[in-house]
Amino acid sequence: MTNILCIGAGYVGGSTMPIIASHCPQHRFVIVDINDARIAAWQSDQLPIYEPGLDEIVHQTLGKNLFFSTEINRNIAEADIIFVSVNTPTKMFGQGAGRAADLQYWEKTARQILENSTSSKIVVEKSTLPVRTAEAMERILNSNGNGLHFDVLSNPEFLAEGTAVHDMQNPNRVLIGGRETEAGQKAIESLVEIYAHWVPRERILTTNLWSSELSKLVANAFLAQRISSINAISALCERTEADVNEVANAIGRDARIGSHFLRASVGFGGSCFKKDILNLVYLCEHYGLPEVAQYWEQVVTMNEYQETRFAANMVTSMFNTVAGKRIALFGASFKANTNDTRESPALEVCRALLAEQADIVITDPHAMENACYDLKELATRVVFEPDPYIAARSAHAIAILTEWRQYTELDYEKIHHSMVKPAFIFDGRNLLDHKRLYKLGFNVYPIGKPPLTHSLINHS
Ligand code: UDX
Ligand code: UDX
């Protein structure tokens, strides 16, 4: 039996470890966190994150070979392999502020591992980290002088929220980076064996440490770049009467381009894309590559433009003012099937409309609590309403900001009757049947397609 510990019970630690545990019944898994409430929630009927299919897996393994605890030190002492998935947010102070990763939790965790270890261990970076962090961690961990040896591996997580269980059960690839020394290769093999319980060997890639660390940043940068590319084209489509969905379909049929991640939207959100690109930008600047840094930074700039453009288009289309107008925002999470609101474009649109003095009502099937927390400084100016019908009542406009399937199933005729006329729908996800909505009387503003309006002056 191997004792496997994960430090950090967030979206990454909390969704990956139960799945690994379910495939490795012979090993013992403990997940620790400094947050008592989170640890309690993982052991309750209401998991701290909404992730389809995860409840069942946690339920199957909890108390058998999976345990949650706040006793970090004791569990470090007992562990053979330690995964670290504490958060690494963008640094908001000092050198690299606004770009570099804030490694304070990571370094503190490394020192805590060192202080509480009485045996040699493998330490696995699961958090996304700047390239060469493993080297710093090795130096801290192996500075002990008591004969203990720590192997640091990089094993970035590629799962996407909302499909985490599926992604983890059937990964395209698992990436494990380690040192090219004998000890490093042995450590890699220990981790390969764990994944090989359910992942075909040919999908387990092993690389050097730096390639593995960098690949995570690059994968996210490439994915985000595709969204910014199609969003840039959506702006052009809106001016030229081309339809961005038709363009995406036409280019995506080219196997060299491929059809994934070409959905034009109000913008990408989530805890990873922006943070990882800014991290990449910082690294490029640090290594004296300003042109490369600027190239990638533009992906973030384009995303901010798309969010701002969406909100500005709402204002212009609604006769250049939304002050005092009730506007219902459908969706707060950064994508469907998650309660995560980190960097959600919905909240950016909300802030922009509040700055225009609109009366905002937010509805979301799972993310209201997080949205309410994120907007706490504006809480008195936002109404949170779980029922979309009530949210839309007496509103001038609805903005679809998250692609929840529920929103395709609403009775829009009933909704239209309850709204102030002319009634507007701004579909930031191209989710709804626009022609049908138009026939019901709505003025419809999709992304990357000409609007469908009833004899309104087009102000764009
Ligand atoms: C992850 C990764 O770790 C991050 O690098 C990646 O890019 C984004 O996703 P995530 O699991 O989503 O983070 O973050 P979060 O949900 O905030 O979870 C981190 C957990 O670590 C929190 O529960 C926090 O309480 C815990 N933590 C943090 C510790 O236990 N110890 C610390 O010192 C700091
Ligand atoms: C991402 C990566 O996909 C994953 O591999 C990595 O481990 C973590 O970061 P995640 O942020 O959970 O995952 O979700 P993802 O599905 O990538 O969506 C990110 C954002 O892009 C969402 O706001 C989503 O709505 C948006 N998006 C995605 C688009 O706007 N258009 C698309 O075509 C795809």
Side-chain angles (χ1 to χ4, degrees), residues 12 128 156-163 167 173 216 219-220 223-224 226-227 230-231 259-273 276 303 333-336 338 340 342-345 401-403 428-429:
V12 170
T128 309
E157 191 43 67
F158 294 110
L159 59 78
E161 288 173 30
T163 52
D167 295 354
R173 79 308 203 182
K216 170 70 192 228
N220 278 344
L223 289 169
R226 283 176 70 92
I227 303 170
I230 199 72
N231 281 345
S259 60
H260 295 290
F261 263 68
L262 287 179
R263 269 182 293 118
S265 67
V266 56
F268 61 73
S271 71
C272 288
F273 282 178
D276 291 353
N303 196 50
S333 58
F334 80 99
K335 61 187 280 196
T338 177
D340 194 347
R342 287 178 289 180
E343 302 291 342
S344 175
L401 299 175
T402 310
E403 70 282 21
R429 298 287 180 169

Side-chain angles (χ1 to χ4, degrees), residues 240-312:
T240 56
E241 295 191 12
D243 175 328
V244 78
N245 284 1
E246 291 178 353
V247 174
N249 184 38
I251 65 166
R253 292 293 181 93
D254 184 330
R256 294 168 303 176
I257 295 174
S259 60
H260 295 290
F261 263 68
L262 287 179
R263 269 182 293 118
S265 67
V266 56
F268 61 73
S271 71
C272 288
F273 282 178
K274 182 174 171 195
K275 171 173 79 80
D276 291 353
I277 294 171
L278 292 179
N279 201 332
L280 186 64
V281 167
Y282 183 71
L283 277 172
C284 294
E285 279 170 355
H286 175 80
Y287 287 106
L289 301 167
E291 289 81 2
V292 185
Q294 281 158 24
Y295 175 76
W296 287 108
E297 188 160 23
Q298 191 60 25
V299 174
V300 175
T301 308
M302 182 53 64
N303 196 50
E304 286 163 358
Y305 169 70
Q306 187 76 350
E307 291 169 345
T308 312
R309 197 171 76 80
F310 184 84

Side-chain angles (χ1 to χ4, degrees), residues 33-199:
D33 201 290
I34 45 172
N35 184 334
D36 299 5
R38 231 177 204 197
I39 289 296
W42 279 111
Q43 300 173 90
S44 74
D45 290 338
Q46 186 79 47
L47 299 189
I49 64 173
Y50 173 71
E51 188 60 61
L54 188 61
D55 313 39
E56 222 172 285
I57 290 166
V58 172
H59 192 70
Q60 276 164 22
T61 45
L62 190 66
K64 297 194 178 86
N65 68 329
L66 175 71
F67 304 89
F68 288 90
S69 169
T70 48
E71 285 182 74
I72 302 179
N73 295 348
R74 182 173 63 79
N75 281 295
I76 288 176
E78 289 174 4
D80 303 303
I81 300 180
I82 303 180
F83 287 85
V84 184
S85 64
V86 300
N87 39 339
T88 50
T90 303
K91 198 174 169 195
M92 296 317 286
F93 54 90
Q95 259 184 51
R99 286 161 183 232
D102 184 347
L103 296 179
Q104 59 173 313
Y105 305 120
W106 231 102
E107 178 167 345
K108 196 188 82 198
T109 303
R111 291 186 191 280
Q112 201 172 3
I113 293 173
L114 178 58
E115 275 160 29
N116 292 286
S117 291
T118 49
S119 59
S120 296
K121 300 179 194 305
I122 297 173
V123 175
V124 187
E125 296 178 340
K126 199 82 186 145
S127 310
T128 309
L129 295 160
V131 187
R132 303 206 79 93
T133 305
E135 188 175 36
M137 293 307 147
E138 276 175 342
R139 281 181 42 211
I140 294 174
L141 289 166
N142 289 317
S143 67
N144 54 72
N146 55 9
L148 300 183
H149 175 75
F150 293 90
D151 285 298
V152 177
L153 299 179
S154 159
N155 172 219
E157 191 43 67
F158 294 110
L159 59 78
E161 288 173 30
T163 52
V165 173
H166 174 268
D167 295 354
M168 191 63 194
Q169 301 281 27
N170 315 282
N172 298 144
R173 79 308 203 182
V174 167
L175 180 58
I176 302 174
R179 284 281 188 192
E180 279 144 329
T181 58
E182 202 181 315
Q185 293 299 306
K186 219 171 129 224
I188 289 179
E189 198 41 43
S190 311
L191 196 52
V192 168
E193 270 173 29
I194 291 187
Y195 281 105
H197 279 91
W198 79 100
V199 182

Side-chain angles (χ1 to χ4, degrees), residues 330 388-389 400 404-413 415 431-433 436:
F330 279 21
Y389 290 103
I400 307 286
W404 288 106
R405 201 173 52 86
Q406 289 88 320
Y407 299 149
T408 62
E409 292 160 358
L410 298 174
D411 178 348
Y412 283 95
E413 193 169 5
I415 289 177
L431 181 71
L432 305 179
D433 180 342
R436 196 176 156 263

